Amino acid sequence: VSLAAYILKKPVKLKLSREESIRMHPKRHPVFMDMKLCASVDGKLKNISLYAIGDTGAYASVGDKVMERVAGHATGGYYVPNVQIEALTVYTNNIPSGAMRGFGANQVAFAMESLVDEICVKGGFDRWGFRYQNALREGLRTSTGQLLKHGVGIRECLKALKPYYYKNKYTGLACAIKNSGVGNGMIDESKCKIEIKSEDSILIYNGWTEMGQGAHNMAIQTFCQETGIKPVLLDVQVDSKWELPTGMTTSSRATALLGQAVRDAAQKMNQALKFKTLKELSGQTFFGEFIVDWTTKPGTDTKEHITHYSYGYAAQLVILNEEGKIKEVIAAHDAGKIMNPTLFEGQIEGAIHMGLGYALREDLPMEKSRLLSDRVKDLGILKINEMPKTTVIGVEKKDEVGPYGAKGVGEIGLVPTAAAVANAFYYFDKKRRYKLPLEWPCKDFPIISNQS
């Protein structure tokens, strides 16, 4: 496209068909894992070893970063004092793998949570109690050795699920942790400009792609919170001509980074408003930024390893009926501060839809590195009338980095889902499943749809 535009001296647009898009665009990494997990007789996790290989396809894309997340999230929501982890990115002739919601944390959570349940069976431990006892909390470390100092909400999420867990017969539990920000020594940054066009119009310029994560709405809410100005005066615009570097729009970064950049600009505007009215400030622009430059690169010889500046936490419960079908999913998610309850619920509900499809049916089979089908109807995506009842529970344990204590929730929404489904199926038919999509415990599609 660039070459054609250069030669023709005209704008050139490439439009892919849906089939071409399915063949070309990166998919979630298939990850093959050999994992061992050990616990003491008193129910405390002691050791984990993991050897993981990620199929990145014919192009690198972000394969190394995805496998960094596999390694960095290997112990999930738990404290395991001794770790031995090797995660490799491998080129193959398959279609490219790349950034996909969850970014490696889903795959390793499925393995980790399956083994946690196996330990509970072999050791005679209560599944909820074992998880609560081993859950991460302030003062404990992740698999990378990062010391968690604030806002660790795993136990609070488990507490929210406790009454539902004990009153149902066939259930599957799973916990999750998911980073916010790129981290691993890379700089995370966000910049914005607030322009007062007139006393009736204020524009927020930023570099974030709005793709359903609610970044623009969050920017408006943050600005209004800081200034007290009514949202009807505001609009958000994104254009590269404003030269506002943001980096990748991945890793649930927008809430913390854009939120703090907007706060920075709004606070400068507040200072100006002490001496002039909006009308008098018309035409002026206020610049804001937020930069995280304190994470550490893997392998660095440093006193303190800070893999990521922030994490989100969650626990999910899948409940089956007497026929082995999913009748409800209950998701407790620690958002730090829920800035918009409607958007928060929508993020988690949408993620559970994706997580259930990932667990039960979605697949992209290939033969000799060629897709057997490139049709949307063959992907196995769940239809709306196939979704079960979904209950979302908000937990707020404030983070020190995000605006008002908020954490990213976009990616973590489906990290524990497949594992929770697999564990529920085991407690129905006592058959352990080690591969996705899962084998169903019943002949018909294993979800009771929530038609209402």
Side-chain angles (χ1 to χ4, degrees):
V1 175
S2 299
L3 182 62
Y6 177 77
I7 292 173
L8 297 173
K9 308 301 181 188
K10 293 182 178 180
V12 176
K13 180 180 182 180
L14 172 66
K15 184 178 180 181
L16 300 178
S17 68
R18 177 60 69 188
E19 290 77 15
E20 288 170 332
S21 175
I22 290 173
R23 289 197 301 271
M24 292 174 61
H25 284 145
K27 307 302 184 290
R28 191 183 304 282
H29 279 76
V31 179
F32 304 86
M33 290 168 281
D34 181 1
M35 181 185 283
K36 297 180 178 68
L37 187 65
C38 303
S40 59
V41 293
D42 59 351
K44 292 183 179 179
L45 289 169
K46 293 296 183 181
N47 311 288
I48 185 173
S49 66
L50 170 65
Y51 181 71
I53 297 175
D55 177 356
T56 201
Y59 299 91
S61 186
V62 289
D64 59 338
K65 294 299 177 185
V66 168
M67 296 310 292
E68 273 185 6
R69 301 304 182 275
V70 168
H73 295 72
T75 52
Y78 310 104
Y79 172 61
V80 185
N82 302 293
V83 301
Q84 181 179 350
I85 298 169
E86 186 175 0
L88 306 177
T89 303
V90 176
Y91 288 107
T92 69
N93 288 323
N94 293 329
I95 61 173
S97 299
M100 191 81 170
R101 195 178 196 175
F103 212 80
N106 311 357
Q107 293 93 315
V108 78
F110 171 59
M112 177 66 177
E113 288 291 340
S114 296
L115 294 191
V116 167
D117 255 32
E118 284 200 38
I119 282 180
C120 290
V121 172
K122 293 180 178 180
F125 305 120
D126 175 81
R127 289 177 290 154
W128 185 92
F130 184 88
R131 284 177 167 84
Y132 187 83
Q133 175 177 264
N134 288 283
L136 286 168
R137 57 187 186 276
E138 290 83 356
L140 298 179
R141 298 181 185 273
T142 68
S143 61
T144 63
Q146 180 173 354
L147 181 67
L148 299 174
K149 299 179 179 180
H150 51 80
V152 185
I154 287 279
R155 283 190 162 188
E156 286 73 13
C157 291
L158 283 167
K159 285 180 181 177
L161 297 181
K162 185 177 181 180
Y164 304 97
Y165 168 76
Y166 283 111
K167 76 176 183 180
N168 287 282
K169 184 177 181 181
Y170 301 117
T171 59
L173 263 175
C175 298
I177 179 175
K178 182 67 180 73
N179 65 291
S180 293
V182 179
N184 287 290
M186 292 183 66
I187 292 178
D188 273 311
E189 65 176 342
S190 184
K191 295 177 170 62
C192 75
K193 291 180 182 178
I194 296 175
E195 182 183 5
I196 302 176
K197 303 287 287 185
S198 69
E199 61 181 326
D200 299 318
S201 176
I202 300 173
L203 294 179
I204 301 174
Y205 301 109
N206 71 87
W208 289 89
T209 302
E210 175 57 76
M211 49 189 176
Q213 75 272 47
H216 291 180
N217 189 84
M218 185 275 302
I220 291 173
Q221 283 190 253
T222 302
F223 177 85
C224 294
Q225 180 71 23
E226 291 295 319
T227 64
I229 293 173
K230 295 180 180 179
V232 69
L233 303 182
L234 296 166
D235 191 18
V236 179
Q237 292 189 10
V238 176
D239 197 310
S240 58
K241 69 182 179 182
W242 301 112
E243 298 183 357
L244 297 169
T246 297
M248 296 176 283
T249 43
T250 58
S251 308
S252 296
R253 300 164 65 244
T255 298
L257 300 180
L258 178 57
Q260 293 293 40
V262 170
R263 290 185 75 189
D264 182 38
Q267 288 166 7
K268 293 172 182 175
M269 180 175 156
N270 280 340
Q271 290 299 315
L273 285 170
K274 290 180 179 179
F275 307 101
K276 294 183 179 181
T277 64
L278 275 179
K279 187 175 182 179
E280 292 171 327
L281 290 173
S282 294
Q284 289 200 32
T285 298
F286 299 88
F287 175 78
E289 68 177 356
F290 184 67
I291 299 173
V292 175
D293 56 4
W294 62 81
T295 62
T296 54
K297 186 177 180 179
T300 303
D301 185 12
T302 178
K303 291 182 179 179
E304 183 179 9
H305 290 278
I306 305 175
T307 312
H308 299 286
Y309 64 76
S310 181
Y311 293 91
Y313 304 92
Q316 291 184 3
L317 181 72
V318 170
I319 303 170
L320 307 184
N321 70 356
E322 294 293 332
E323 298 174 354
K325 294 187 176 183
I326 299 171
K327 67 177 183 180
E328 185 173 4
V329 178
I330 305 175
H333 283 253
D334 171 22
K337 173 63 180 176
I338 300 174
M339 295 179 66
N340 187 305
T342 302
L343 288 180
F344 168 75
E345 255 187 71
Q347 282 287 343
I348 305 304
E349 288 176 352
I352 289 170
H353 169 269
M354 186 178 283
L356 289 173
Y358 177 52
L360 297 174
R361 198 168 63 193
E362 291 182 27
D363 202 2
L364 203 67
M366 286 176 276
E367 187 174 297
K368 295 182 179 179
S369 300
R370 299 283 182 175
L371 290 178
L372 297 182
S373 172
D374 56 13
R375 306 297 297 276
V376 172
K377 69 179 181 65
D378 294 328
L379 294 180
I381 298 170
L382 267 63
K383 299 175 183 177
I384 192 168
N385 63 352
E386 294 176 319
M387 276 292 289
K389 179 183 177 183
T390 302
T391 301
V392 179
I393 302 173
V395 174
E396 295 182 309
K397 194 156 186 184
K398 290 187 177 180
D399 182 74
E400 289 185 0
V401 177
Y404 320 115
K407 303 170 184 173
V409 297
E411 294 223 50
I412 196 174
L414 77 158
V415 173
T417 309
V421 173
N423 288 339
F425 284 175
Y426 173 82
Y427 280 91
F428 179 79
D429 64 8
K430 296 299 184 288
K431 181 178 180 180
R432 187 63 65 187
R433 294 158 172 85
Y434 297 103
K435 183 180 179 181
L436 297 172
L438 300 166
E439 179 186 334
W440 306 341
C442 49
K443 290 182 179 180
D444 301 323
F445 188 58
I447 288 181
I448 301 174
S449 64
N450 181 28
Q451 293 290 346
S452 60

